[in-house]
């Protein structure tokens, strides 16, 4: 499967625990994006990363949320001390990063986080 | 404040007929627009895009129309097929690099056999 991979597909956490969501971009893609979708809403941009760099984190909550895209390995979205309001579907997307204006982002299947 | 609006939460169309999904935006800086389709439990799939230098883009059964003065775009699907039943998201981007997409809330299309 050469598509964007996300794991786990489903994650259950209790309030106060940490959630780690992983995303492996499509082969050859160097740009990764994270989006969050709350029930009955559209996708909301969170953060845009290139390898070892955060390019745009304007959509990321200032506290408890962090993201990284290391030189080796998947991109990680980390949510510390989760609260019930963090329950959502988190989608990762990747793009080739060729500098094409508005290049298409290819989405993974998402991780559905449930905070009890 | 929603910058990208899809005012119809749902739409039902008969198989073989035309489906028209609408999208309005408020940010005049948006200059690139995309439509994504999403099935339950899957990630969004890219359908078609349009740049603000055009007013129409066509790909098979899918055509997107852009009316910049009205800040409105629409997706036409002709003919509609039952497999088109999904949630359709309109997305827009702005800026020099335009990698930050703003998504609308989606319209759920049901194509009835």
């Amino acid at each position: 499967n050469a598509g964007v991979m996300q794991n786990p597909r489903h994650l259950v956490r209790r309030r106060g625990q940490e959630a780690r969501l992983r995303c492996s971009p499509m082969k050859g893609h160097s740009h990764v994006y994270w989006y969050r979708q709350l029930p009955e809403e559209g996708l909301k941009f969170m953060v845009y990363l290139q390898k070892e760099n955060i390019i745009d984190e304007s959509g990321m909550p200032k506290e408890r949320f962090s993201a990284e895209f290391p030189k080796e390995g998947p991109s990680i979205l980390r949510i510390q001390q989760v609260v019930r309001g963090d329950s959502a579907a988190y989608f990762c997307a990747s793009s080739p990063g060729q500098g094409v204006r508005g290049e298409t982002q290819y989405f993974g299947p998402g991780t559905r986080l449930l905070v009890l | 404040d929603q910058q990208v609006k899809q005012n119809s939460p749902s739409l039902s169309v008969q198989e073989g007929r035309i489906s028209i999904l609408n999208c309005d935006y408020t940010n005049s800086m948006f200059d690139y627009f995309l439509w994504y389709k999403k099935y339950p439990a899957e990630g969004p799939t890219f359908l078609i895009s349009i740049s603000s230098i055009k007013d129409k883009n066509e790909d098979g059964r899918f055509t997107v129309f852009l009316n910049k003065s009205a800040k409105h775009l629409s997706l036409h699907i002709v003919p509609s097929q039952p497999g088109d039943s999904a949630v359709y998201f309109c997305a827009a981007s702005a800026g020099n690099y335009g990698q930050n997409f703003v998504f609308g809330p989606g319209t759920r299309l049901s194509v009835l056999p």
Side-chain angles (χ1 to χ4, degrees), chain A residues 8 11 16 21-22 26-28 39 47-48 55 59 84 86 88 91 109-111:
Chain A
L11 183 61
L21 290 66
R22 293 174 188 76
M26 283 180 72
K27 188 175 181 181
V47 62
Y48 160 38
I55 306 302
R84 287 214 175 112
D86 297 332
F91 291 96
T111 293

Side-chain angles (χ1 to χ4, degrees), chain B residues 48-67:
Chain B
I48 192 169
S49 63
I50 188 167
S51 162
S52 61
I53 61 173
K54 291 185 170 184
D55 54 19
K56 176 183 174 182
N57 190 24
E58 193 172 353
D59 183 1
R61 296 186 298 113
F62 301 92
T63 303
V64 56
F65 295 92
L66 175 62
N67 182 335

